[in-house]
Structure formats: structure tokens, C-alpha cells
Amino acid sequence: MKIASIQLDMPFAKPDESFAHTEEMMKKSLSEKPDVIILPETWNTGFFPKENLHGLCDRNGSRTKKMMSNFARKNSVNIVAGSVANSKNGKIYNTSYIFDREGSCIAEYDKTHLFTPMGEDNYFEKGNRLCRFKLDGFECAVLICYDIRFPELTRTLALDGLDFLFLPSQWPMARVEHILTLLKARAIENQMFVCGCNSCEKLSGTVYAGNTAIFNPWGELIAKADENEEIIYADCDTDIIKNIRNSINVFRDRRSELYSIK
């Protein structure tokens, strides 16, 4: 499975520019013939405009679905479409949409853990369900940014078997070592590929970190960006998953009767 992770320097509060620039970068990524394209968090607005947020949101994800569905079908590529600021049922959600090679929207996920230090919970609604899906026969899931700090969330997904975890994010430079450590840890403890996709813009005193990274199930770094806009690619040898789970079977050796997380 070849992954293209597009680290965007996105316009802030300018959805028209964001859609045009994102599509341009997606087209550029096709030169390496990826199986999956992944985008960052809230690429349609940036993270996140407080003024006129409702007006800037994608309504029911309709614009995102139209563009991504057409792109996926035309180019026969799977898309983990990062996330978008999305209004539905009169509320605002941080929503990820997933598209298969035929252009079908096969899954959607509303961010479940909102980043209270920046007041995300004052503007967005919490999602209340997890999201699993298959891409080219592989078991996959998506979480968004702050979600990665909650290991019980990832483990819940992994217990039913997971090959790839995708993490769109808007992670700041001030805590860049945290995101790299968390991505690596989730890969090692759950014996799966963890594919990040961060932004790299500078906004209102916050510098977003870039440093998009992809780790294999051994916790080995197989692709990494720097601090600027770029596309990274990772050839993921999925045989590694079976090999590591045969040699170090942590799922078989779990002692679930000892664990209690409330």
C-alpha cells in the first residue's frame, strides 16, 4: 500500500482558495501513483476561524464529497480526506470523509475529542462514534489530531484488527515532539501502520509544525516531512503486520480481566 500524505500550508478562512489549492496538491501527488491520499485537519478553513464559522463551513460536507468523489473515481485512488469544518443539523462538526477508488464515500467520522485549550469545544460538537472502513481489503480507521492523546480510543479500534490508522492533524510546533512520539507509540503498541498528515501554516501566533510522519508496525519511521508544505510518500509493506503479530503477539497475551478504564 503506497500512501501519499499531503502536508498543506492552507489559507485561513478562505474556503474557495483552500479547495483549489488542495485539489492542485492532490493532482501533484498522483505523479508517484499512490494507493491512498491523506489530507490534514480542517483544510477547508484552517484551525479555526471563530468569526462567521457557520458561513465558512462546508454544508453537510457536500462540496467536499463532490470534489473528492470525482477525484477518486477519475484517478482510481482512495482518499482519506483529512477533515473539514462541517455544518449539519444546525451544528458544526470536525468531520473526516473517506472515499474508495470508485468515488464512493464509504465512511465519515466526527472528531470525538475536542481541543479545549483552544476552545474547539465552544464552537464544534463532539462526535459520538468510532469509524472503521476497508481500503483495498485492509482494515483501516481514522482519528483526528487530539484524539491520538487517548490511547484507549486507538486500542478499542485495534482490538478488532487494524492495519492502518490515519491521523489528520493541525499540531503546533510547540509540541512537535509529542505528535511524533504519540504516532510512534500507537504504531508499536497496536502493531499497525500509523499515517499522520499535519499542516504547516502560521496563524495568529501559532506555528503549525509540519513534520508529517508515517510509522510502520515496528515503530520505524518510513517517511517524514520537514516544516514546509510538501508531499511525502510511504511504501507500506503489509507483510510486516503478520510477521510482527506472529513473533510478538500482544493481542493474544492481553489480560483483559485486569483492565478497567472508565
Side-chain angles (χ1 to χ4, degrees):
M1 178 87 83
K2 188 169 189 175
I3 310 295
S5 189
I6 302 178
Q7 179 169 288
L8 288 173
D9 184 347
M10 62 195 71
F12 184 72
K14 296 178 180 178
D16 289 344
E17 292 184 23
S18 293
F19 273 86
H21 181 56
T22 298
E23 187 170 20
E24 177 187 4
M25 292 295 286
M26 290 171 65
K27 289 177 180 176
K28 185 177 179 181
S29 76
L30 294 174
S31 64
E32 297 292 327
K33 298 179 172 57
D35 298 298
V36 182
I37 295 171
I38 176 173
L39 298 170
E41 181 183 14
T42 55
W43 56 264
N44 64 327
T45 60
F47 190 83
F48 59 92
K50 297 177 175 64
E51 295 183 9
N52 191 30
L53 182 56
H54 266 287
L56 295 169
C57 283
D58 195 0
R59 301 302 174 92
N60 296 310
S62 58
R63 187 175 184 179
T64 302
K65 290 175 186 176
K66 182 178 180 180
M67 185 177 90
M68 296 299 167
S69 177
N70 289 339
F71 191 97
R73 183 174 61 254
K74 179 180 178 181
N75 298 290
S76 188
V77 65
N78 302 295
I79 303 174
V80 178
S83 77
V84 293
N86 173 44
S87 63
K88 56 183 178 180
N89 302 320
K91 298 179 180 180
I92 299 173
Y93 293 85
N94 188 337
T95 305
S96 181
Y97 296 102
I98 314 300
F99 301 84
D100 65 14
R101 293 181 187 271
E102 287 72 46
S104 298
C105 183
I106 59 171
E108 65 179 82
Y109 170 72
D110 296 322
K111 186 177 182 180
T112 52
H113 296 81
L114 302 180
F115 193 55
T116 56
M118 291 183 69
E120 186 181 11
D121 56 317
N122 294 324
Y123 294 85
F124 291 81
E125 294 291 320
K126 296 176 183 176
N128 57 14
R129 62 179 182 83
L130 302 186
C131 177
R132 295 174 56 91
F133 51 93
K134 285 188 178 183
L135 294 178
D136 294 350
F138 293 103
E139 295 289 342
C140 303
V142 63
L143 298 176
I144 300 174
C145 202
Y146 192 41
D147 286 333
I148 199 70
R149 285 190 179 272
F150 300 87
E152 59 270 40
L153 183 63
T154 307
R155 177 50 63 95
T156 298
L157 289 162
L159 285 175
D160 289 328
L162 202 60
D163 302 315
F164 288 85
L165 176 67
F166 297 97
L167 188 84
S169 62
Q170 292 256 19
W171 204 280
M173 182 63 72
R175 296 182 292 279
V176 64
E177 290 302 322
H178 290 197
I179 185 63
L180 294 172
T181 301
L182 290 165
L183 291 171
K184 182 174 183 176
R186 297 297 91 85
I188 293 170
E189 67 198 9
N190 296 292
Q191 300 179 329
M192 62 188 178
F193 289 91
V194 177
C195 307
C197 186
N198 201 27
S199 67
C200 58
E201 77 269 21
K202 299 173 179 63
L203 174 68
S204 300
T206 299
V207 178
Y208 290 93
N211 282 271
T212 289
I214 299 174
F215 291 89
N216 73 14
W218 287 106
E220 296 168 339
L221 182 66
I222 55 176
K224 185 177 178 297
D226 61 17
E227 299 171 12
N228 302 307
E229 182 172 84
E230 66 175 297
I231 305 169
I232 63 169
Y233 302 92
D235 286 303
C236 300
D237 179 3
T238 52
D239 288 340
I240 291 175
I241 299 171
K242 183 178 180 180
N243 292 339
I244 189 171
R245 291 178 185 173
N246 284 339
S247 61
I248 308 173
N249 195 329
V250 296
F251 292 98
R252 178 197 62 202
D253 296 336
R254 292 179 72 250
R255 295 283 309 280
S256 58
E257 72 276 13
L258 299 179
Y259 312 145
S260 178
I261 299 176
K262 302 296 184 183

